[in-house]
Amino acid sequence: AYQYYKGKSKIGFIFFGGFNSDMEGSKAQYILQWCKKNKYECTLFDYSGHGKSSEKFVNTSLKEWIEDALEILNKVPSNPQILIGSSMAGWIALKISLINSTNLKGVLTIAAAPDFTKRLWKKELNNKQKNEIIKKGYTNIPSDYNPEGYIITKKNIKEGNKNLILTDKNNIFSFPLKLIHGDKDEAVSWKESLKILNKSTNDHSELIILKN
């Protein structure tokens, strides 16, 4: 499922939603309205298992979400694009940029959470949660953003760890990056955005730390 605004520009924006988010979210809709006001091409979409798209969430993973994003990028917009990714979607947008940089003008991330499946397994999940993932295939963790918590699946941990972007020395970002992060973000440290910046070779790349 996706929303598309053609606009009158020679450049476009695609918004990648975060984990468990969809294109009806406040960030996505703000960007769509901004693009309409300024006549920029804009594309929003829902990953498989999210929002209005098909599939059950537990049967999908980062692998399918990357494939969804690539399909949208290749089939919907007609202009060179700037990719905008929030949280986990910062990871997906950067991964997409490494796979297909054709007609890519740059990437903007908001509190990017690259490689979070690796960090989640090593540092954040307790033994009970890990055992549930191994035996049941998933566990539920508390979330400040969803009263029902977040479902973490064995499949998503596995596929996420196959698509890490910070551990591969060959992953270099040659296009402009604009990385926005809050200095008191408790869910994802601003140092994750710094790691991304350190893999950029473009002099126009920028890390913006927001106070408080």
Side-chain angles (χ1 to χ4, degrees):
Y2 68 91
Q3 295 180 44
Y4 176 70
Y5 171 70
K6 187 174 182 179
K8 296 180 179 179
S9 59
K10 294 183 179 180
I11 193 168
F13 295 87
I14 299 182
F15 182 78
F16 295 62
F19 188 70
N20 261 300
S21 297
D22 59 45
M23 59 185 171
E24 299 300 330
S26 56
K27 294 187 190 75
Q29 288 300 313
Y30 182 92
I31 287 166
L32 176 61
Q33 296 309 315
W34 182 89
C35 285
K36 286 182 175 180
K37 181 180 177 181
N38 294 283
K39 302 293 189 291
Y40 280 106
E41 181 184 46
C42 184
T43 309
L44 312 178
F45 71 101
D46 288 337
Y47 310 114
S48 300
H50 288 69
K52 295 179 180 177
S53 288
S54 60
E55 305 303 330
K56 290 184 178 180
F57 180 84
V58 293
N59 296 328
T60 62
S61 69
L62 198 82
K63 175 180 179 286
E64 286 78 21
W65 305 336
I66 290 170
E67 291 170 352
D68 295 340
L70 271 172
E71 185 173 12
I72 290 290
L73 176 63
N74 292 332
K75 292 185 177 180
V76 178
S78 56
N79 292 299
Q81 297 293 299
I82 291 174
L83 313 183
I84 305 175
S86 172
S87 190
M88 176 198 73
W91 178 8
I92 294 179
L94 290 164
K95 182 68 179 182
I96 293 299
S97 71
L98 292 168
I99 297 171
N100 182 6
S101 60
T102 307
N103 285 333
L104 180 68
K105 286 295 184 181
V107 175
L108 185 152
T109 66
I110 305 161
D115 303 359
F116 84 86
T117 52
K118 180 182 177 182
R119 189 169 63 254
L120 197 64
W121 186 265
K122 280 192 170 184
K123 298 181 179 180
E124 297 180 28
L125 294 175
N126 59 40
N127 288 335
K128 181 184 177 183
Q129 291 167 331
K130 288 180 179 180
N131 286 331
E132 281 188 345
I133 289 174
I134 292 167
K135 292 177 181 178
K136 288 172 49 181
Y138 69 92
T139 190
N140 191 289
I141 64 172
S143 168
D144 292 335
Y145 306 101
N146 189 332
E148 297 179 5
Y150 282 163
I151 294 173
I152 304 297
T153 66
K154 183 178 180 180
K155 180 179 181 180
N156 205 23
I157 295 283
K158 180 181 176 182
E159 294 300 337
N161 291 346
K162 287 181 181 179
N163 287 283
L164 304 176
I165 61 172
L166 295 178
T167 54
D168 190 340
K169 293 180 181 178
N170 295 319
N171 287 345
I172 299 296
F173 305 115
S174 58
F175 42 80
L177 299 177
K178 194 171 287 286
L179 313 166
I180 302 171
H181 220 119
D183 70 336
K184 292 185 179 178
D185 191 327
E186 294 180 359
V188 185
S189 169
W190 63 268
K191 293 179 181 178
E192 297 302 309
S193 286
L194 179 60
K195 291 175 186 176
I196 298 168
L197 183 73
N198 288 337
K199 296 181 79 68
S200 173
T201 57
N202 191 291
D203 290 341
H204 295 287
S205 292
E206 186 176 13
L207 170 59
I208 300 170
I209 304 292
L210 300 180
K211 189 70 178 172
N212 296 320

